[in-house]
Amino acid sequence: MTAIRLLQHRASDGTRSVILAEGDSAHFILGGVTSTRALALKALTAGTSLLDAAKACPRGAAVDIAAEFAAGNLLPPIDHEDPAHLVLAGTGLTHLGSAEGRDKMHRAAAETEKQTDSMRMFLEGLEGGKPAPGTVGQQPEWFYKGDGSQLVSATDPLAMPAFAQDGGEEPELAGIYIIDEDGTPYRLGLALANEFSDHVTERHNYLWLAHSKLRQAALGAELLLGTPPEHVEGTSRLLRGGAVIWEKPFLSGEGNMSHTIANLEHHHFKYAQFRRPGDIHVHFFGTATLSFADGVQTQEGDVFEISAAPFALPLANPLTRAEDAAVAVKAL
């Protein structure tokens, strides 16, 4: 089946446009559409799908998306003109991982007198994360990452704060959503993502998970339209000085998850504050593959490279550290 994707392009003069890619071919969309969000609003008004709205627009010149990616002209596939109206959040402990990993987890659970909260949540997801249609399943782990100011493109640096103890990759899929004027969430599609986290902080105390997730996140340039694929197989690499120092395959898609996507969506959008008309949501679905789990300690200058079919373009984000910013609260 041909993969159909939307991309956002910004020319050297700042002019923005949207690209529709079908398989190996791609072309600019004309008709005044300069963002994915604008096209989505157009589709909502017309009562049509996002793909049909894109195809209804006049067709522009052909474009080589690989060349535009190399030139740094591709933005994240979704954004909002007011970053405060874009929510980055996600769910964890959602993926099955390898059979060996599951066996180890179950043996640990059986051998430990008292299960950890993480283990309990993982096992509860295995038991109740895929409910029958029309019923509500087990609530997953949930976390907040920030607003649109923390979203970076597929080639931008991922900057860990000056106080961070670690900066580690999390290769996964992210669902992209828009909220209609009546408060209904609509899924626009999926993007390849690096959720990026501080695993040293999280490991110190699980109650610090919330702190460890307040970091930037990167999205691949493509928004995959249509029904989410059941199986996605990709590769996550860590490069240092141009050489691969760690590499591992990762699996995603509902067939490799302990929760249905619908169940994860329900437990996010059940909160009224996440159904504010016009807002954009980027929701990370989780992963089971981390270089940190294999004992790798990242360094500034390392590059996180993530690729997976049916996405044609990878993510390649270098790791940097932000400058220290002294903060002192003043009385007014």
Side-chain angles (χ1 to χ4, degrees), residues 98 178 198 251 272 284 295 325:
S98 68
I178 192 169
D198 185 336
L251 300 176
F284 300 92

Side-chain angles (χ1 to χ4, degrees), residues 51-92:
L51 175 57
D52 287 342
K55 288 188 171 183
C57 294
R59 181 173 180 149
V63 56
D64 182 341
I65 61 172
E68 296 300 330
F69 175 82
N73 294 334
L74 298 180
L75 300 166
I78 192 67
D79 56 4
H80 195 294
E81 55 268 27
D82 181 354
H85 287 276
L86 190 153
V87 176
L88 299 176
T91 44

